[in-house]
Amino acid sequence: SLGWPTGVMGQGQGVNQGVFETLLRSDDKGQVHPWLADTYDIASDLSHITFNLKKGVTFHDGSAFNAKVAKWNLDQYIKAQAAPLPALGGTLPKLPKASGGALPKLPKSTAAPTGISAWSSVDIVNDYTIRVNLSNWDNTQLFTFADSQFEVYMISQASYLAKGEQYMTQHAIGTGPFKAVSFQQSVGFKTVRNPAYWKKDDKGNKLPYLDAIDYTFVADPITMKMYLQAKQIDMATLSLSDSSLTKDGVVFHDKISGNEYLVPDIINADSPWSNKNFREAVEYGIDKEKLASAFGYGYLKAPYQVPPRDSLAYNPNFTLGRKYDPVKAKQLLSQSGLTLPISTKIICSQREMQDRALAIQDSLKQIGINAKLDFPDVGRWITYITGPWPKNSALLTPYPAVDPTFALGLQFLMKTIGPSWKPAELSAAVKAAFAGKSIDEAKIRAATDIIIRDALLIPTKEAVSCQGDWPYVHYEYEKRGGPYMWNTESSWISK
């Protein structure tokens, strides 16, 4: 849904980032800065946020950006909450028949209102000032207006009223440094420089620097690699296995974008996963160092805590991790009161995780746990992450960091795990982490420490995002708050 942001899912948020803009912009340090809003002010009682909008900004169709248009945009996101997708805040995607048929009915999140769902209304104060009234405060609220988690882009109200929603899904019309020219599903997306762009660089030069950005959609990773090698494309999304391209002169970038976890079924009392000794035994029984070595190409390390290694909440002095110890694992199993061998199921979110799942399956078998692997289609997977999933099972799935502080990452976890996560101590710690006016990484660590202490999540492998480009390409990779975001307006190519 390229040009209708309330319906944007997945890769759409990557390719249209040069066309659309947000009221605020976040950086890789977890800080939020004004963008289409010149300034913002959080009420002392945390009941609302006031945005003073930038004047003189126009959309690509020539219409003006002002308070009326900003309110209309935010109202569209509020309306979209009628059919929320957990943790993303957008409308539900239509699944192809091959992926499981009709969509399941999703329950509303039991978590406290956060992000867009906390907006109660939007008021126009004057022509260039709006006030967003909040039903509930948490200290990640500003990220909602920036470029983390789910981008709240400003689009042209004039074009929407003239063309309609269906037209907008295929035609992106924003205020950004680049204007959309053409879009072909599964082929590519072409943009050109916006001559009327409002922003200048520090020396007073008009932005953007580039004349155009063309996106080519490549489904096959081998083809992607070949395109980059042949310089048919200048920069590309890659995988760790493509790090060998450095020998050809390609600049390879990697960032730990999250971790992969086993998410145990602790809600069903007759499930072995509800037994803490069993969960600890599973973690001691998985050789994470071996997984990092086998699948990390020298870039990955074994994860032992919830916040990813590149997160500001990551604790370099963490002491609660459980390192591979099959003897300890067997001792815990004998103390669990469960009868060996124990049979269970591991449900994998992605078919491409099969090799890692097989390695985990083999490790667990050696300590007396027989784990059957299941690879559900998309429809069935959605029913699992909204919970409760089948008894006596654990989900094997990656969870993204979402933002540098890991505050949004923690929210993502709490919203998508389903009803399995209800320990009172954890709920209280999470509430404390989000209660203050600003984000406190120490409180995020306190909450995630409980998760590891009680083995409510079992980290198995780091997840990584990779990018490759030629030395003549100059852009700031992963310097924005959201994954895969880059500063298109200030990027350039050497002559």
Side-chain angles (χ1 to χ4, degrees):
S1 183
L2 193 72
W4 183 240
T6 60
V8 167
M9 302 295 295
Q11 297 303 316
Q13 290 169 287
V15 301
N16 60 19
Q17 61 179 291
V19 175
F20 291 127
E21 296 183 293
T22 48
L23 296 180
L24 308 175
R25 181 177 281 195
S26 56
D27 61 24
D28 61 338
K29 304 300 182 185
Q31 301 298 311
V32 175
H33 311 277
W35 200 254
L36 285 179
D38 259 337
T39 62
Y40 65 90
D41 179 65
I42 303 171
S44 58
D45 62 358
L46 307 179
S47 64
H48 62 269
I49 306 173
T50 302
F51 295 93
N52 296 304
L53 307 179
K54 189 172 293 294
K55 297 178 181 179
V57 176
T58 58
F59 289 95
H60 299 154
D61 59 6
S63 62
F65 171 71
N66 52 36
K68 179 183 176 182
V69 175
K71 169 181 164 55
W72 176 83
N73 270 277
L74 299 183
D75 283 345
Q76 306 313 304
Y77 289 94
I78 293 174
K79 291 176 182 177
Q81 292 303 299
L85 183 69
L88 290 177
T91 53
L92 287 167
K94 291 183 178 180
L95 298 182
K97 292 181 179 179
S99 66
L103 281 167
K105 184 178 181 180
L106 301 184
K108 291 185 178 180
S109 172
T110 56
T114 54
I116 298 169
S117 60
W119 303 350
S120 58
S121 61
V122 181
D123 296 328
I124 295 176
V125 178
N126 58 47
D127 288 348
Y128 287 94
T129 305
I130 60 171
R131 181 176 58 244
V132 179
N133 303 303
L134 306 173
S135 60
N136 182 76
W137 169 262
D138 77 76
N139 51 33
T140 68
Q141 185 59 241
L142 286 180
F143 284 131
T144 311
F145 301 96
D147 46 17
S148 295
Q149 192 179 27
F150 184 82
E151 281 68 44
V152 177
Y153 287 134
M154 296 290 108
I155 76 166
S156 169
Q157 180 185 14
S159 287
Y160 175 87
L161 294 176
K163 304 287 188 177
E165 183 176 322
Q166 185 59 42
Y167 176 88
M168 299 300 284
T169 61
Q170 303 295 307
H171 298 81
I173 305 171
T175 61
F178 293 92
K179 300 170 64 174
V181 174
S182 64
F183 168 64
Q184 287 182 278
Q185 188 79 36
S186 303
V187 177
F189 177 51
K190 295 182 180 296
T191 68
V192 297
R193 185 178 188 271
N194 174 15
Y197 188 52
W198 58 271
K199 189 172 177 58
K200 296 181 179 180
D201 66 13
D202 293 338
K203 296 181 179 180
N205 299 309
K206 283 181 66 66
L207 295 173
Y209 299 133
L210 294 173
D211 294 313
I213 299 177
D214 291 348
Y215 292 88
T216 301
F217 305 147
V218 185
D220 177 56
I222 296 176
T223 304
M224 178 85 82
K225 179 179 177 180
M226 291 172 59
Y227 278 7
L228 186 63
Q229 285 176 306
K231 295 188 179 179
Q232 289 180 283
I233 52 179
D234 303 299
M235 50 191 285
T237 301
L238 300 175
S239 61
L240 279 179
S241 61
D242 297 321
S243 57
S244 60
L245 288 173
T246 54
K247 71 179 185 299
D248 299 326
V250 170
V251 180
F252 185 78
H253 310 267
D254 66 283
K255 181 178 177 64
I256 306 303
S257 55
N259 289 323
E260 293 178 5
Y261 304 93
L262 276 176
V263 188
D265 164 29
I266 62 173
I267 193 171
N268 295 300
D270 56 348
S271 167
W273 295 96
S274 66
N275 186 309
K276 185 171 181 287
N277 283 334
F278 178 81
R279 298 196 302 274
E280 290 188 23
V282 168
E283 185 160 15
Y284 279 117
I286 297 175
D287 191 342
K288 302 178 186 180
E289 303 288 343
K290 188 174 180 180
L291 286 173
S293 176
F295 302 105
Y297 295 89
Y299 288 86
L300 302 186
K301 296 181 180 180
Y304 295 101
Q305 55 185 293
V306 175
R309 183 158 44 100
D310 284 350
S311 165
L312 296 174
Y314 181 82
N315 183 1
N317 302 310
F318 192 69
T319 60
L320 298 176
R322 300 179 182 89
K323 295 192 175 182
Y324 181 58
D325 188 340
V327 174
K328 177 73 171 177
K330 290 178 180 178
Q331 289 175 346
L332 286 165
L333 285 177
S334 66
Q335 295 169 13
S336 69
L338 301 170
T339 303
L340 296 176
I342 300 170
S343 295
T344 188
K345 180 185 289 187
I346 294 177
I347 304 170
C348 305
S349 66
Q350 302 168 14
R351 175 63 66 174
E352 65 183 34
M353 299 175 72
Q354 181 172 335
D355 289 344
R356 277 110 66 192
L358 288 169
I360 293 171
Q361 182 187 50
D362 183 64
S363 290
L364 295 182
K365 188 174 182 179
Q366 295 178 36
I367 62 171
I369 300 174
N370 295 323
K372 180 181 178 182
L373 302 183
D374 181 20
F375 298 89
D377 57 37
V378 176
R380 190 153 58 94
W381 174 252
I382 289 178
T383 66
Y384 291 159
I385 65 172
T386 58
W389 50 85
K391 292 182 180 179
N392 187 16
S393 65
L395 306 183
L396 179 61
T397 183
Y399 273 97
V402 184
D403 79 293
T405 69
F406 196 66
L408 292 176
L410 181 58
Q411 278 189 351
F412 193 97
L413 286 171
M414 297 303 294
K415 286 184 176 182
T416 60
I417 293 300
S420 206
W421 281 36
K422 288 191 176 179
E425 183 184 8
L426 175 60
S427 297
V430 169
K431 184 177 181 180
F434 297 134
K437 189 171 184 178
S438 59
I439 294 171
D440 184 342
E441 281 86 10
K443 291 183 178 179
I444 295 174
R445 290 174 183 170
T448 57
D449 282 355
I450 295 172
I451 294 172
I452 293 298
R453 185 199 68 193
D454 294 345
L456 301 175
L457 273 182
I458 300 172
T460 58
K461 189 187 80 67
E462 291 181 330
V464 62
S465 61
C466 305
Q467 194 84 3
D469 57 78
W470 290 101
Y472 59 78
V473 180
H474 303 271
Y475 72 112
E476 295 180 325
Y477 176 65
E478 295 283 9
K479 294 297 183 182
R480 297 265 294 277
Y484 298 105
M485 304 295 285
W486 50 293
N487 298 325
T488 59
E489 71 281 349
S490 57
S491 298
W492 57 285
I493 289 179
S494 300
K495 292 185 178 179

